[in-house]
Amino acid sequence: MQMTGAQILVECLLEQGVDTIFGFPGGAVLHIYDELYRQHDRIRHILTSHEQGASHMADGYARATGKVGVCLATSGPGATNLVTGIATAYMDSIPMVAITGNVPLSLLGKDSFQEVDIAGITMPVTKHNYIVKDVKDLARILREAFYVAQEGRPGPVLVDIPKDVTAHKAEYVREEPRKVERRCKGITDESIREALEVIGRSRKPYILVGGGVVLSDAKDQIVELADKLDAPVTCSLMGMGGFPTNHPRYTGMLGMHGTKASNIGVTHCDLLVVVGARFSDRVTGDTAKFARGAQVLHIDIDPAEINKNVAAYHHIIGDVKMVLEALNSRLEQQQHAAWMEEVAKIQKDNPLRYKPGLTGQYVIERLYAYTKGNAIIATEVGQHQMWAAQFYKFHEPRLFLTSGGLGTMGYGMGAAIGAKVARPDMRVVNIAGDGSFRMNMNEIMTAVRYKIPIVVLVINNSVLGMVRQWQTIFYDERYSFTHLNPDLDYVKLCEAFGAQGYNLDKVEDIDAVFDKAFASDVPVVINCIVDKDDMVYPMVAPGKPIDELVEEKY
């Protein structure tokens, strides 16, 4: 059947099971938007307040479901406004297809109005990208984009389409989506045998769970490995929920703001089994002294991560779930009671603590108790993000949405909306700092417009908290441009957007405010007033070994 490029695009999206697109229109994508108007009963479009919000919503949708998130923007500034969200998805290996319009083919490369080389701009932060120069190639490229976004280590793919290509016609024949096979070529009998030998020699094993466990849906397999190995478990920020953080083997997050039990335990272990993690500097600290007494067994789908930051004694390259299934099937029960007791004592003697009163830590603990862990938690970036990782427990994967690799302030608002669109049955909370909230608070209008009842918990300390914390510790309290406007009335602001707002400044009001917020059928912003001098502890100074923790004195 002959169809226009715009029609082919929409049909290909439907082929791939896409039910929602997040975007913002403009001249170069008008043919596409005209077709979306015609097809509104078959595919939903969410009009965002800014293109960056669209990319974060697509990201949140993907993280909450495991499906590919889709965002759409026009040429020039519309396309460049997607870049931060694309880079965020790239750093955290999130499957996304970003579709951009461009000027007509005859105007490409001529500095035309609203023309940018978006393929060139995004080359370093996409898994792959395409410029569609012939409508006959459009369906093939779109199908390939979805496959590439999901296959192996996931990531964002960009498809740039000149305007006239969306008007030209070509033959379209529906196809079933290409099945994405899990990578298993690197999982050999020899690699499993060698891993079992390394494990068999260990007396003090530790498991580090990374984001790859979440992406591979390997929670059950990692729990089985921990039990068979009889080992304690720690998580990177991206690994939260990959291993249940309410599990008795879990010792807390690892790294710069990790727990003492995890940081000391990993430093003193003799075997570190690293599953789907990339050894970020925020996890390792001084790599020369990271897990310095351990042999590292690294399991990852991406061969580029092996020996990149930390040398592996042995590695297995393949889909994490398949590797763990193969390993577990041949692993005999290990016994490390003395080691488990040693780590448990460190954990018991060094619990996470904070001062009494209304603090970010306490409110997040109460949020967990109130929701019983049955909520999707998105975060912005800063102190509140670390407190969420420390004090909220994640029983399942895909309940913690946060920008780990890029550290994108403003991410959480869009991610929360995308997650709620994807999983309307779930409570969705965006935990924000007041600095991060200002970045993309305009997306409250999007949530209001589409009646998306998210809850935004603003931990408001009137400063850029994490930056100020570093200024306190490393810059002799020279607070350069980190004080915000304390007189801004967030409740009135959000009410102007059409949302509900509540001030929270007393401990005894927490549950009553939560009751109102979660009973609402419109977006709610809770403005929680905390002290500007509250800090995230423990903390490891940049470049220091992770066992050199600074702890707050009480």
Side-chain angles (χ1 to χ4, degrees):
M1 180 185 296
Q2 287 282 312
M3 289 188 178
T4 66
Q7 291 172 317
I8 291 170
L9 186 151
V10 172
E11 290 299 327
C12 284
L13 293 177
L14 291 166
E15 274 183 13
Q16 299 295 326
V18 175
D19 53 32
T20 306
I21 307 170
F22 305 93
F24 199 95
V29 288
L30 280 178
H31 295 312
I32 298 171
Y33 271 87
D34 191 51
E35 190 58 29
L36 288 171
Y37 178 87
R38 298 171 189 271
Q39 302 277 10
H40 69 273
D41 58 334
R42 300 177 69 201
I43 191 165
R44 186 183 189 189
H45 178 275
I46 300 289
L47 174 64
T48 63
S49 298
H50 190 281
E51 290 90 353
Q52 185 183 135
S55 57
H56 293 326
M57 289 177 205
D59 176 302
Y61 181 102
R63 294 194 203 219
T65 62
K67 296 168 60 178
V68 178
V70 181
C71 55
L72 171 62
T74 192
S75 63
T80 58
N81 283 343
L82 292 178
V83 173
T84 297
I86 292 171
T88 300
Y90 180 76
M91 290 291 284
D92 292 342
S93 304
I94 305 304
M96 176 196 293
V97 171
I99 300 166
T100 54
N102 214 327
V103 299
L105 289 165
S106 62
L107 296 179
L108 282 177
K110 297 183 178 180
D111 295 330
S112 305
F113 176 69
Q114 289 195 333
E115 180 196 4
V116 295
D117 177 12
I118 193 62
I121 289 169
T122 60
M123 189 174 293
V125 292
T126 52
K127 194 173 175 185
H128 196 64
N129 61 29
Y130 303 86
I131 304 174
V132 184
K133 294 187 176 180
D134 190 329
V135 69
K136 294 176 183 176
D137 297 326
L138 179 57
R140 173 186 60 80
I141 287 173
L142 286 167
R143 290 161 181 156
E144 189 174 307
F146 275 83
Y147 180 81
V148 171
Q150 299 171 84
E151 193 275 334
R153 181 177 183 170
V157 177
L158 179 126
V159 181
D160 189 41
I161 312 173
K163 183 174 182 177
D164 48 346
V165 171
T166 63
H168 294 166
K169 289 189 173 183
E171 190 70 19
Y172 166 78
V173 178
R174 178 181 170 81
E175 293 183 8
E176 288 299 312
R178 181 180 173 188
K179 187 177 180 181
V180 179
E181 302 285 351
R182 292 178 179 266
R183 288 188 185 177
C184 59
K185 289 183 179 179
I187 309 171
T188 64
D189 285 343
E190 182 180 2
S191 68
I192 297 297
R193 178 183 56 78
E194 291 181 13
L196 291 170
E197 289 178 359
V198 174
I199 288 170
R201 295 193 294 268
S202 173
R203 296 296 175 264
K204 296 182 176 183
Y206 226 108
I207 298 173
L208 168 57
V209 172
V213 174
V214 175
L215 295 171
S216 185
D217 294 319
K219 187 197 82 168
D220 292 345
Q221 289 74 22
I222 199 72
V223 170
E224 182 181 352
L225 176 67
D227 288 339
K228 281 194 167 184
L229 187 52
D230 193 21
V233 179
T234 182
C235 287
S236 70
L237 186 68
M238 299 309 303
M240 292 289 167
F243 187 90
T245 61
N246 61 337
H247 194 286
R249 292 189 182 276
Y250 181 67
T251 60
M253 187 169 61
L254 182 68
M256 178 174 282
H257 294 294
T259 62
K260 193 165 188 176
S262 292
N263 285 15
I264 298 293
V266 165
T267 300
H268 294 160
C269 71
D270 65 6
L271 171 65
L272 183 60
V273 183
V274 181
V275 188
R278 60 185 177 85
F279 295 108
S280 162
D281 59 293
R282 289 297 173 98
V283 166
T284 64
D286 182 356
T287 53
K289 296 179 180 178
F290 177 73
R292 48 187 175 267
Q295 293 181 333
V296 174
L297 170 57
H298 194 177
I299 299 169
D300 204 280
I301 198 167
D302 188 353
E305 293 299 341
I306 306 300
N307 299 320
K308 185 176 80 174
N309 295 324
V310 171
Y313 181 83
H314 180 59
H315 65 264
I316 306 175
I317 297 172
D319 179 85
V320 163
K321 186 171 186 175
M322 295 187 73
V323 173
L324 293 178
E325 287 174 344
L327 197 59
N328 287 336
S329 68
R330 294 172 57 180
L331 177 61
E332 296 181 0
Q333 182 63 50
Q334 308 291 300
Q335 301 292 338
H336 302 112
W339 171 237
M340 287 295 299
E341 289 174 8
E342 180 180 339
V343 173
K345 185 176 188 307
I346 300 172
Q347 188 173 15
K348 182 180 178 181
D349 293 344
N350 298 277
L352 290 170
R353 296 179 296 172
Y354 50 85
K355 71 182 186 183
L358 188 66
T359 64
Q361 300 99 310
Y362 181 67
V363 172
I364 290 168
E365 270 198 332
R366 290 286 291 273
L367 177 66
Y368 170 73
Y370 188 91
T371 62
K372 299 180 173 59
N374 296 316
I376 295 174
I377 303 297
T379 79
E380 306 291 354
V381 171
Q383 290 176 316
H384 62 277
Q385 177 191 32
M386 295 298 103
W387 290 330
Q390 290 175 333
F391 293 99
Y392 196 98
K393 295 180 175 62
F394 298 95
H395 307 165
E396 300 288 337
R398 304 196 181 281
L399 298 183
F400 185 52
L401 318 181
T402 196
S403 173
L406 197 62
T408 305
M409 293 175 69
Y411 164 80
M413 181 65 71
I417 293 172
K420 186 65 175 179
V421 169
R423 300 178 66 180
D425 57 311
M426 292 290 291
R427 288 171 167 170
V428 177
V429 182
N430 177 32
I431 300 176
D434 49 327
S436 287
F437 179 63
R438 293 168 181 233
M439 292 280 184
N440 279 329
M441 63 182 173
N442 53 347
E443 298 302 342
I444 285 286
M445 290 185 285
T446 305
V448 169
R449 177 187 180 120
Y450 292 99
K451 297 180 173 59
I452 302 169
I454 61 170
V455 173
V456 183
L457 175 61
V458 180
I459 308 298
N460 183 355
N461 57 7
S462 299
V463 295
L464 298 176
M466 187 61 86
V467 182
R468 190 178 191 276
Q469 177 167 332
W470 281 48
Q471 288 174 336
T472 300
I473 297 171
F474 304 117
Y475 293 89
D476 296 326
E477 300 183 2
R478 293 187 294 275
Y479 299 122
S480 178
F481 299 100
T482 47
H483 284 212
L484 304 176
N485 177 11
D487 299 322
L488 176 60
D489 190 328
Y490 287 99
V491 170
K492 287 183 179 178
L493 177 67
C494 294
E495 288 175 346
F497 285 150
Q500 290 179 351
Y502 299 99
N503 284 315
L504 176 57
D505 56 9
K506 297 177 182 176
V507 166
E508 56 266 29
D509 292 342
I510 293 175
D511 282 355
V513 170
F514 285 168
D515 283 340
K516 294 175 184 177
F518 287 109
S520 177
D521 58 359
V522 300
V524 174
V525 175
I526 301 171
N527 181 38
C528 179
I529 309 299
V530 301
D531 193 297
K532 66 180 182 299
D533 290 316
D534 288 351
M535 295 204 198
V536 181
Y537 285 109
M539 181 177 182
V540 177
K544 294 291 185 181
I546 60 170
D547 57 333
E548 294 184 13
L549 298 97
V550 178
E551 299 176 89
E552 191 165 17
K553 305 300 181 184
Y554 292 95

